[in-house]
């Protein structure tokens, strides 16, 4: 074998035909339709992508690529958010001044914060456009009705991410936005003490959904800490799970829906 294939050829054959190699790579490297599919399906990272893509799927005039852009912005927000956590303390005395230090003292801090802020605004816009495109092209119809419901949940979670991020700057805009928003929660059906059937279920100003969101009766340190935990840990974990289900259903329903 050494005479026929040389040292490197022999090493390659021995390695490729070994049980260790076969236990990791379950197919050959021949360029065939079957192997192309196996490369996608058997790969930890690539299996999220479909084995085949329909001709209309990459067409920008149909998809607008709003779903992909929304996911890309979520990745940008995750990366920049982790970096921002190094310079931010969720306390009443430090939150606002940490933001100011980030803008004027930390190198490239203003770029980092603005990248996170504008990506958040753009993600809300692109998710809305994605929902509009899906509705306009009838992509919510059977068998995709379940995935449409998952998309509605993702839209609500996106808005909640944006809302909880408002308070973290601890400025007048964020303070009063959260004050008004949580006051509206008092009228939530069943869960708010001013909402339908709330009083019958024993809801009061000290145990309803508003009290749970704020950690008290007023917007203060407890509300800031809860908004920080929800914004940085709770909601991103929940939205990641729903996104995986969303991508999985796109594949199971036959890929991106075609033009009407």
């Amino acid at each position: 074998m050494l005479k026929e294939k040389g040292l490197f050829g022999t090493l390659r054959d021995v390695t490729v035909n070994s049980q260790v190699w076969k236990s990791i790579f379950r197919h050959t490297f021949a360029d065939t339709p079957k192997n192309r599919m196996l490369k996608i399906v058997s790969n930890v990272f690539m299996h999220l992508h479909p084995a085949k893509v329909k001709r209309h799927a990459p067409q920008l005039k149909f998809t607008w690529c709003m779903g992909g852009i929304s996911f890309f912005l979520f990745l940008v927000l995750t990366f920049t958010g982790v970096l921002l956590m190094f310079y931010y303390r969720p306390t009443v005395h430090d939150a606002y001044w940490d933001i100011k230090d980030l803008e004027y003292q930390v190198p490239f801090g203003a770029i980092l914060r603005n990248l996170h802020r504008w990506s958040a605004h753009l993600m809300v816009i692109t998710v809305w456009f994605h929902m509009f495109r899906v509705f306009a092209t009838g992509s919510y119809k059977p068998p995709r009705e379940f995935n449409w419901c998952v998309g509605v949940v993702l839209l609500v979670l996106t808005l909640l991410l944006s809302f909880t991020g408002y308070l973290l700057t601890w400025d007048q805009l964020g303070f009063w936005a959260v004050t008004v928003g949580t006051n509206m929660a008092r009228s939530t059906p069943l869960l708010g003490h001013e909402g339908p059937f709330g009083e019958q279920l024993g809801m009061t100003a000290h145990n309803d959904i508003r009290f749970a969101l704020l950690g008290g009766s007023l917007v203060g340190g407890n509300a800031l800490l809860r908004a920080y935990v929800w914004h940085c840990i709770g909601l991103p974990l929940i939205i990641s799970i729903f996104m995986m289900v969303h991508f999985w259903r796109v594949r199971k329903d036959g890929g991106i829906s075609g033009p009407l």
Side-chain angles (χ1 to χ4, degrees), residues 22 24-52 251:
K22 291 181 179 180
I24 300 174
F25 303 99
R26 305 300 179 90
H27 54 81
T28 63
F29 294 97
D31 188 13
T32 62
K34 181 180 179 180
N35 274 342
R36 293 192 205 113
M37 181 189 70
L38 290 174
K39 289 176 184 178
I40 299 294
V41 175
S42 61
N43 189 283
V44 175
F45 303 101
M46 296 296 293
H47 79 282
L48 293 174
H49 300 275
K52 295 182 179 180
R251 289 188 55 191

Side-chain angles (χ1 to χ4, degrees), residues 34-237:
K34 181 180 179 180
N35 274 342
R36 293 192 205 113
M37 181 189 70
L38 290 174
K39 289 176 184 178
I40 299 294
V41 175
S42 61
N43 189 283
V44 175
F45 303 101
M46 296 296 293
H47 79 282
L48 293 174
H49 300 275
K52 295 182 179 180
V53 179
K54 296 181 180 179
R55 290 182 180 274
H56 67 264
Q59 294 178 2
L60 184 62
K61 64 181 181 180
F62 174 70
T63 65
W64 299 352
C65 201
M66 287 295 105
I69 293 175
S70 299
F71 178 63
F72 171 74
L73 291 172
F74 177 77
L75 296 179
V76 172
L77 287 166
T78 302
F79 178 73
T80 56
V82 170
L83 295 180
L84 288 172
M85 291 172 68
F86 283 99
Y87 301 100
Y88 179 81
R89 291 168 291 179
T91 65
V92 173
H93 300 290
D94 300 319
Y96 178 79
W97 297 112
D98 284 348
I99 297 297
K100 290 301 176 185
D101 287 342
L102 185 72
E103 289 185 355
Y104 299 108
Q105 301 297 330
V106 177
F108 305 105
I111 296 176
L112 181 64
R113 187 203 170 193
N114 286 324
L115 189 62
H116 190 80
R117 177 187 177 185
W118 287 108
S119 296
H121 293 329
L122 285 173
M123 183 177 174
V124 173
I125 295 172
T126 55
V127 170
W128 276 112
F129 272 115
H130 179 58
M131 298 291 289
F132 174 75
R133 196 281 301 173
V134 171
F135 180 79
T137 57
S139 302
Y140 60 91
K141 296 178 181 179
R144 304 171 185 275
E145 60 269 36
F146 172 72
N147 213 19
W148 169 261
C149 296
V150 175
V152 173
V153 174
L154 286 170
L155 172 63
V156 174
L157 292 173
T158 301
L159 297 176
L160 287 175
L161 274 172
S162 180
F163 181 72
T164 52
Y166 253 90
L167 186 61
L168 301 186
T169 56
W170 200 246
D171 55 5
Q172 288 294 307
L173 176 63
F175 181 88
W176 290 110
V178 173
T179 299
V180 173
T182 52
N183 283 341
M184 293 168 61
R186 295 183 300 187
S187 300
T188 304
L190 305 177
L191 300 178
H193 72 279
E194 294 181 358
F197 306 107
E199 184 178 356
Q200 288 77 3
L201 293 176
M203 293 297 171
T204 67
H206 301 290
N207 66 359
D208 66 348
I209 185 64
R210 179 179 182 273
F211 188 87
L213 290 172
L214 296 179
S217 301
L218 300 173
V219 179
N222 289 338
L224 178 61
L225 182 58
R226 293 197 177 197
Y228 179 77
V229 173
W230 277 113
H231 186 77
C232 298
I233 301 176
L235 290 174
L237 286 176

